[in-house]
C-alpha cells in the first residue's frame, strides 16, 4: 500500500506527544513493508531533525512559525474562522502537496491531526486517494475543559470563544473524510455520540515492545515523584500548577524527605523561577527512559486534555506506577489500583501518594502490572495490522459504490 502522511509537526525527532505518535505509525508502516512518504511542517518550536537516511528521499518539509501574532489574533476575533486551524494554511504547503499528488498515486493520504484538514479540497482535486483523519485528540474538548478551569472572566470568555469556533469546525469536517482514526476509544465514542457516521477505528499510541523487555523493576530513587511532558502544552502547565498549589505542600509536609521533579521541553518561566520546598525543576532531559527509571512515581495531574497521554504509556512500559486523574488516564485500558492509581481531588492525590510512599512494594507491584498491560495491548506490530485492515476497508467500500 502507498501512503502519504501529512503532518502538522515533524515525526523526527520524536520528542513530544504528537511527533512520537506520528513516528510510531510511520516506522510501523515502513517496517510492515508499506511505501510511505511524509510531507510535514517544520515548526519554529519543533524543527525537523534527525531524519534517517533511509527516509530522506521520502520526506519533505515546509517551514512554519507558529508563534501567535497578537495583531492577527485580535482581528481573528471579528471573523468566524478557527484561529487554531488558519495558522496551518500555507501557500507553500499547498504547492508542495499538489506537486506530490500530481507526480505519484497514493492509496491513502493520512491527515495527522485536525490541523491538516484544511487541505482536504486540494487532495480531492488532485488525487483519488482515500483521506483518513488521524485524530490525536478531540481538539475542541481540550478547550471546553480548559474553560471550566479559568476564573478570570476575560480569559474565560476568550478561551470559550476559541473552543466554540474550533468545535464547529471540527465536527463539520468529520463527514468530509473517508475514515477517522481516533487515538482512543473515548474520543471515538465522543465523535459517535455527536452523530458522526464516517467509518472509524480506535488506534492508540503504540510502542516497539522490544525496547521495553525488562525483567527487573530496578532501583529508583526512594520517595521520589516526577512529571515528564511537553511544558508548552497548556493542559500540562495547568495540571502542574494545580498539583503544586493544592497537593504537593501537604505531601512534603508529611514527608520532608520526598522530592518532586518536573521535567520536560520548553519549561515556562514561572516554573523556572519556582522555589518551593521539595520541588526540583529539571527542564529537558537527555534520555527520557533513563530519567523515568531513576524515579519512583510518575505524577500526571491533568485537569483538561483529550486523546491519550503518550508519556503515561511510556512510563507504564518502564514499570513505573502512574498517579493521575481520570482525564489523564482516558484512552488507556487501565484497572485502578492494579496497574495505575487514579485521583481526582487533592485529598485523593494525598491519600494515594502516601500509600505509595509507605509501601515501596506496592510501587513495584503496580509498575510490573503496568508494564504487562502495555506489552500486551500497545504493541506497534499488532496495531499496524489493525490500521492497514481499516485502510483496506475504506478502499473496498469506495470500490463497491
Amino acid at each position: 500500500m502507498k501512503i502519504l502522511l501529512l503532518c502538522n509537526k515533524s515525526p523526527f525527532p520524536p520528542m513530544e506527544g504528537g511527533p512520537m505518535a506520528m513516528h510510531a505509525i510511520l516506522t510501523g508502516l515502513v517496517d510492515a513493508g508499506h511505501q510511505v512518504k511524509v510531507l510535514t511542517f517544520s515548526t519554529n518550536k519543533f524543527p525537523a531533525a534527525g531524519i534517517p537516511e533511509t527516509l530522506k528521499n521520502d520526506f519533505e518539509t515546509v517551514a512554519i512559525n507558529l508563534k501567535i501574532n497578537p495583531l492577527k489574533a485580535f482581528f481573528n476575533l471579528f471573523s468566524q474562522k478557527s484561529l487554531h486551524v488558519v495558522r496551518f494554511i500555507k501557500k507553500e504547503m499547498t504547492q508542495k502537496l499538489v506537486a506530490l499528488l500530481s507526480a505519484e498515486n497514493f492509496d491513502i493520504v493520512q491527515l495527522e491531526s485536525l490541523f491538516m484538514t484544511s487541505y482536504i479540497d486540494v487532495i480531492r482535486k488532485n488525487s483519488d486517494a482515500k483521506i483518513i483523519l488521524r485524530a490525536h485528540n478531540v481538539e475542541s474538548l481540550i478547550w471546553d475543559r480548559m474553560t471550566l478551569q479559568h476564573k478570570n472572566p476575560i480569559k474565560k470568555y476568550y478561551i470559550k470563544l476559541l473552543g466554540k469556533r474550533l468545535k464547529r469546525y471540527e465536527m463539520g469536517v468529520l463527514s468530509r473524510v473517508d475514515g477517522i482514526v481516533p487515538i482512543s476509544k473515548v474520543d471515538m465514542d465522543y465523535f459517535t455520540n455527536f452523530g458522526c457516521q464516517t467509518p472509524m477505528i480506535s488506534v492508540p499510541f503504540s510502542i516497539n515492545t522490544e525496547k521495553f523487555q525488562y525483567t527487573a523493576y530496578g532501583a529508583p530513587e526512594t520517595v521520589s515523584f516526577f512529571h515528564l511532558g511537553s511544558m508548552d502544552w497548556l493542559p500540562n502547565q495547568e495540571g502542574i500548577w494545580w498539583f503544586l498549589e493544592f497537593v504537593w505542600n501537604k505531601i512534603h509536609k508529611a514527608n520532608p524527605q520526598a522530592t518532586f521533579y518536573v521535567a520536560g521541553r520548553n519549561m515556562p518561566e514561572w516554573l523556572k523561577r519556582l522555589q518551593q520546598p521539595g520541588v526540583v525543576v529539571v527542564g529537558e532531559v537527555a534520555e527520557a527512559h533513563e530519567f523515568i527509571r531513576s524515579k519512583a512515581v510518575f505524577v500526571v495531574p491533568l485537569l483538561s486534555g483529550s486523546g491519550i497521554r503518550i508519556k503515561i504509556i511510556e512510563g507504564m512500559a518502564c514499570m513505573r506506577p502512574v498517579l493521575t486523574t481520570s482525564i489523564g488516564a482516558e484512552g488507556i485500558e487501565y484497572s485502578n489500583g492494579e496497574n495505575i492509581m487514579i485521583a481526582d481531588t487533592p485529598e485523593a492525590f494525598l491519600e494515594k501518594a502516601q500509600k505509595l510512599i509507605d509501601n515501596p512494594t506496592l510501587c513495584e507491584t503496580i509498575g510490573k502490572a503496568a508494564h504487562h498491560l502495555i506489552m500486551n495491548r500497545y504493541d506497534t506490530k499488532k496495531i499496524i495490522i489493525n490500521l492497514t485492515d481499516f485502510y483496506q476497508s475504506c478502499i473496498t467500500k469506495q470500490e463497491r459504490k
Side-chain angles (χ1 to χ4, degrees):
M1 200 174 293
K2 196 166 184 178
I3 302 155
L4 172 62
L5 298 185
L6 201 59
C7 308
N8 68 317
K9 295 180 182 180
S10 172
F12 294 96
M15 298 292 288
E16 63 175 31
M20 290 171 68
M22 297 175 204
H23 177 272
I25 288 295
L26 168 59
T27 54
L29 288 169
V30 171
D31 289 345
H34 299 283
Q35 299 179 57
V36 185
K37 283 188 177 288
V38 177
L39 178 55
T40 179
F41 281 117
S42 178
T43 74
N44 54 308
K45 286 188 176 181
F46 203 88
I51 302 160
E53 288 296 327
T54 54
L55 291 176
K56 280 189 175 179
N57 291 335
D58 297 312
F59 203 98
E60 292 192 48
T61 64
V62 174
I64 185 174
N65 189 331
L66 291 178
K67 185 177 180 180
I68 296 294
N69 183 311
L71 188 61
K72 289 183 178 180
F74 173 75
F75 282 113
N76 178 261
L77 289 171
F78 305 100
S79 76
Q80 294 300 312
K81 296 179 180 179
S82 169
L83 178 63
H84 302 85
V85 177
V86 298
R87 292 190 303 154
F88 290 93
I89 301 175
K90 298 296 178 183
K91 184 178 180 180
E92 187 181 352
M93 174 60 77
T94 299
Q95 291 172 338
K96 284 201 173 187
L97 179 58
V98 170
L100 193 54
L101 295 176
S102 300
E104 301 185 49
N105 293 321
F106 294 94
D107 300 299
I108 297 291
V109 176
Q110 182 156 301
L111 308 175
E112 289 287 341
S113 89
L114 175 72
F115 306 116
M116 301 309 290
T117 56
S118 298
Y119 298 95
I120 289 175
D121 289 341
V122 176
I123 298 167
R124 295 289 189 209
K125 186 177 180 179
N126 295 277
S127 174
D128 293 326
K130 299 296 155 275
I131 301 176
I132 305 297
L133 168 60
R134 189 172 184 224
H136 290 236
N137 303 286
V138 179
E139 299 293 344
S140 57
L141 183 58
I142 296 174
W143 290 84
D144 285 347
R145 287 171 169 173
M146 286 177 63
T147 300
L148 297 176
Q149 303 302 323
H150 282 278
K151 305 301 181 186
N152 184 304
I154 296 176
K155 187 176 288 187
K156 191 180 186 78
Y157 170 80
Y158 182 63
I159 291 175
K160 186 175 182 179
L161 177 65
L162 292 178
K164 183 178 180 180
R165 290 180 181 175
L166 186 60
K167 185 171 186 176
R168 183 169 60 243
Y169 178 85
E170 184 172 31
M171 297 307 155
V173 85
L174 298 179
S175 62
R176 298 181 58 212
V177 296
D178 300 300
I180 305 172
V181 183
I183 208 164
S184 75
K185 189 176 184 304
V186 172
D187 289 358
M188 185 170 74
D189 290 343
Y190 184 92
F191 291 143
T192 299
N193 292 336
F194 195 84
C196 178
Q197 297 183 6
T198 303
M200 284 189 282
I201 183 176
S202 171
V203 176
F205 172 73
S206 61
I207 61 172
N208 180 351
T209 55
E210 294 175 3
K211 294 182 179 180
F212 293 88
Q213 295 293 347
Y214 315 128
T215 56
Y217 175 69
E221 178 184 336
T222 58
V223 203
S224 62
F225 296 78
F226 71 97
H227 176 82
L228 176 62
S230 297
M231 295 310 300
D232 55 354
W233 193 47
L234 290 179
N236 276 343
Q237 288 193 38
E238 172 192 71
I240 291 301
W241 178 87
W242 177 87
F243 181 76
L244 292 172
E245 182 75 10
F246 298 108
V247 182
W248 178 252
N249 286 339
K250 295 177 181 177
I251 293 175
H252 191 257
K253 184 177 180 179
N255 308 273
Q257 75 278 31
T259 305
F260 178 48
Y261 297 87
V262 185
R265 299 178 72 250
N266 301 317
M267 196 66 63
E269 288 300 321
W270 70 268
L271 267 172
K272 290 179 181 178
R273 296 191 302 265
L274 185 75
Q275 293 185 340
Q276 189 168 344
V279 179
V280 177
V281 179
V282 179
E284 187 171 359
V285 295
E287 216 297 315
H289 298 163
E290 288 182 9
F291 176 78
I292 291 171
R293 292 183 206 120
S294 71
K295 308 293 182 266
V297 180
F298 193 171
V299 177
V300 189
L302 279 180
L303 308 176
S304 60
S306 175
I308 193 168
R309 255 52 62 187
I310 290 171
K311 279 292 185 286
I312 290 183
I313 297 290
E314 290 199 319
M316 296 173 81
C318 288
M319 291 191 183
R320 289 300 169 261
V322 175
L323 176 56
T324 187
T325 60
S326 299
I327 289 176
E330 273 185 356
I332 299 172
E333 299 178 32
Y334 65 85
S335 295
N336 187 18
E338 180 181 328
N339 47 37
I340 201 169
M341 299 287 265
I342 303 297
D344 290 313
T345 65
E347 294 75 21
F349 262 93
L350 180 61
E351 176 192 345
K352 296 198 173 180
Q354 193 62 54
K355 192 173 183 179
L356 292 168
I357 290 172
D358 293 340
N359 191 350
T361 302
L362 179 62
C363 288
E364 183 173 354
T365 299
I366 292 177
K368 288 182 175 179
H371 174 79
H372 179 77
L373 170 70
I374 302 306
M375 294 301 102
N376 284 278
R377 299 290 182 89
Y378 296 89
D379 177 64
T380 296
K381 289 182 180 179
K382 297 176 184 177
I383 283 171
I384 289 297
I385 291 173
N386 293 337
L387 177 60
T388 52
D389 284 349
F390 179 70
Y391 288 163
Q392 192 58 55
S393 71
C394 291
I395 293 169
T396 303
K397 182 178 179 180
Q398 185 66 26
E399 290 174 344
R400 288 174 177 171
K401 288 186 178 180

